[in-house]
Amino acid sequence: MNKIDLNKLPSPCYLIDKRKLTINLETLNSVQERTGCHILLALKGFSMHSVFPLIGQYLKGVTSSSLFEARLGYEKMGKEVHAYSPAYVESDFDELLKYADHIVFNSFDQWNKYKDKVKMTSKQIECGIRVNPEYSEIDTPLYDPCYANSRLGVTLSNFRPDELEGLDGLHFHSMCEQNSDTLERTLKVVEEKFGQYIKRMKWLNLGGGHHITRKDYDIDKLVQSILYLKDKYDVEIYLEPGEAIALNTGYLVATVLDIVQNGMNIAILDTSATCHMPDVLEMPYRPEIIDAGQPNELPYTYRLGGLTCLAGDVIGDYSFKEPLKPGDKLIFCDMAHYTMVKNHMFNGVNLPSIVTYHDDEGIKVIRQFDFEDYSGRLS
């Protein structure tokens, strides 16, 4: 938050520090330069298209999970557009073909249903099938693509080698916020189960969940894994992180509205866990706040709650050096990814403004929301 005047920011707002975003992109690009791999922005994690021109200077394109995401990437970044969905909506598919360069199918039945349409289109579209290695190291089932009875990807027992003709690649995704040692162990399972089919492919997509821009991430091990795959199978390698692009680049700036008492101090904020940072409740996790500590670590402890009528709209318990009072600003860290793409207007609570900061531009308010944004999505 160096050099940023909090008093000039609307509250609440998502603030993206373009200086930090650029550092992340440079790190990701270094992996591309060392390996020749292609790194894509997974729009499901971060779809802030006002910074797509910056991201497009470094990454190869986007990966999408719906028609709207594909169109957004096509129109706002204008580079490669990859698509994957557990099942494609038939009425969307013809339009999707206009935007996509790669399409990954979740089942052989989906591939067989749409492959003639792909062949008939005037543009060159490469297709792949998603496989499920039935191996993951994720503790939270909500984010585990390979948990028991998962609907995501084709398991080995359901794989149809005789229906691979026309397919260009295989795709797997079994990671979430993990380091390259997890990828290394996962690749052993993928090779054991699907290695003979990788040899027949043009490319292999390693999916997302690679926390490449985290400080303790072992980039050398990732590079070694990519080069190993390229050398052994003679395939192009794709990675599609979402979180790694925006990791630690953004904040949610909020204001204390009131302090109430019920067995402890409770601060009501002008933001909301359920509306503005839903992963706090879904994951769940406790976001860090600048200059705050764990409960009772610092002299004054508060439970921070949102301004909706949902009883569980609680962000967590935090301690502070000084008592909180109405008007105080709180800065939640790492709020760029899985916030803007997942937020909503429950209770008619307005969305946070979207703001960027760069030394050359200063504070720039990109978007503010109003009643029409709320009423326009209702009937």
Side-chain angles (χ1 to χ4, degrees):
M1 298 294 290
N2 184 33
K3 298 183 179 180
I4 302 175
D5 186 351
L6 296 181
N7 294 320
K8 294 182 178 180
L9 295 172
S11 182
C13 74
Y14 299 116
L15 172 65
I16 305 302
D17 189 331
K18 293 173 72 174
R19 302 169 299 181
K20 293 188 175 184
L21 179 60
T22 300
I23 292 171
N24 280 359
L25 292 168
E26 290 172 344
T27 298
L28 294 165
N29 191 46
S30 73
V31 175
Q32 292 182 136
E33 291 177 338
R34 292 174 64 184
T35 65
C37 75
H38 307 267
I39 297 182
L40 308 167
L41 164 64
L43 294 179
K44 69 176 184 178
F46 186 67
S47 296
M48 186 176 167
H49 53 82
S50 63
V51 295
F52 280 8
L54 173 60
I55 295 172
Q57 293 177 33
Y58 296 90
L59 304 188
K60 303 300 182 181
V62 304
T63 183
S64 60
S65 301
S66 66
L67 173 63
F68 288 173
E69 281 190 346
R71 180 175 174 179
L72 186 75
Y74 178 85
E75 293 185 354
K76 301 297 185 180
M77 191 180 294
K79 303 189 76 174
E80 290 184 36
V81 176
H82 294 229
Y84 162 78
S85 176
Y88 290 100
V89 177
E90 191 166 3
S91 59
D92 289 349
F93 198 78
D94 286 343
E95 185 179 353
L96 179 67
L97 293 173
K98 299 177 183 179
Y99 311 131
D101 301 294
H102 279 210
I103 299 178
V104 173
F105 295 92
N106 190 59
S107 71
F108 282 97
D109 286 346
Q110 284 271 292
W111 159 237
N112 290 325
K113 178 176 181 177
Y114 291 112
K115 64 181 180 182
D116 289 340
K117 282 196 170 189
V118 175
K119 291 176 183 176
M120 289 172 59
T121 190
S122 59
K123 64 186 289 190
Q124 180 67 36
I125 298 176
E126 296 186 5
C127 294
I129 198 85
R130 176 166 174 168
V131 298
N132 181 348
E134 301 175 88
Y135 175 87
S136 67
E137 300 178 8
I138 301 171
D139 294 327
T140 306
L142 183 66
Y143 295 96
D144 185 354
C146 299
Y147 74 101
N149 309 122
S150 172
R151 74 193 193 286
L152 304 177
V154 181
T155 61
L156 182 61
S157 63
N158 292 293
F159 200 78
R160 305 175 190 172
D162 56 338
E163 297 179 18
L164 287 173
E165 184 179 352
L167 289 169
D168 301 286
L170 296 182
H171 171 289
F172 73 90
H173 180 174
S174 61
M175 295 172 57
C176 177
E177 300 183 350
Q178 288 167 314
N179 213 314
S180 51
D181 59 325
T182 298
L183 174 63
E184 189 175 55
R185 290 186 290 272
T186 303
L187 285 175
K188 292 179 181 178
V189 179
V190 172
E191 282 194 278
E192 180 183 338
K193 293 186 173 182
F194 300 103
Q196 60 180 312
Y197 309 119
I198 299 174
K199 292 178 181 179
R200 299 166 56 178
M201 295 295 137
K202 180 180 177 181
W203 47 264
L204 177 65
N205 189 319
L206 310 185
H210 313 274
H211 242 198
I212 301 168
T213 53
R214 198 173 72 202
K215 288 183 179 180
D216 66 342
Y217 188 89
D218 189 343
I219 291 179
D220 289 340
K221 188 180 291 291
L222 172 65
V223 168
Q224 292 166 8
S225 293
I226 294 171
L227 293 177
Y228 164 78
L229 291 168
K230 293 185 68 173
D231 180 64
K232 182 172 181 178
Y233 296 103
D234 190 27
V235 289
E236 296 178 22
I237 299 297
Y238 289 88
L239 294 90
E240 44 184 47
E243 201 163 310
I245 285 86
L247 188 66
N248 294 318
T249 65
Y251 308 89
L252 176 57
V253 180
T255 302
V256 176
L257 299 178
D258 194 15
I259 306 293
V260 299
Q261 288 282 338
N262 186 359
M264 66 181 300
N265 293 318
I266 303 168
I268 311 297
L269 310 183
D270 65 352
T271 188
S272 162
T274 188
C275 292
H276 302 159
M277 39 182 138
D279 270 0
V280 168
L281 302 183
E282 290 181 9
M283 186 71 174
Y285 82 105
R286 178 183 181 277
E288 290 188 11
I289 297 176
I290 292 178
D291 293 331
Q294 294 289 332
N296 302 312
E297 179 183 350
L298 299 173
Y300 302 94
T301 293
Y302 294 81
R303 177 160 294 168
L304 305 182
L307 74 168
T308 73
C309 66
L310 176 69
D313 190 1
V314 173
I315 301 160
D317 295 353
Y318 297 80
S319 63
F320 300 86
K321 296 177 182 177
E322 302 291 338
L324 292 182
K325 60 185 183 302
D328 284 348
K329 291 282 197 304
L330 299 182
I331 305 166
F332 294 87
C333 299
D334 201 18
M335 284 286 158
H337 53 82
Y338 292 109
T339 51
M340 289 175 274
V341 295
K342 296 181 76 170
N343 63 19
H344 54 80
M345 294 176 122
F346 171 66
N347 262 186
V349 171
N350 201 9
L351 298 174
S353 301
I354 299 174
V355 182
T356 60
Y357 179 85
H358 192 276
D359 289 336
D360 297 335
E361 302 170 343
I363 293 171
K364 187 175 181 180
V365 178
I366 304 297
R367 177 76 191 275
Q368 291 185 292
F369 301 88
D370 56 28
F371 173 74
E372 280 67 33
D373 294 296
Y374 171 63
S375 64
R377 61 186 298 272
L378 301 171
S379 59

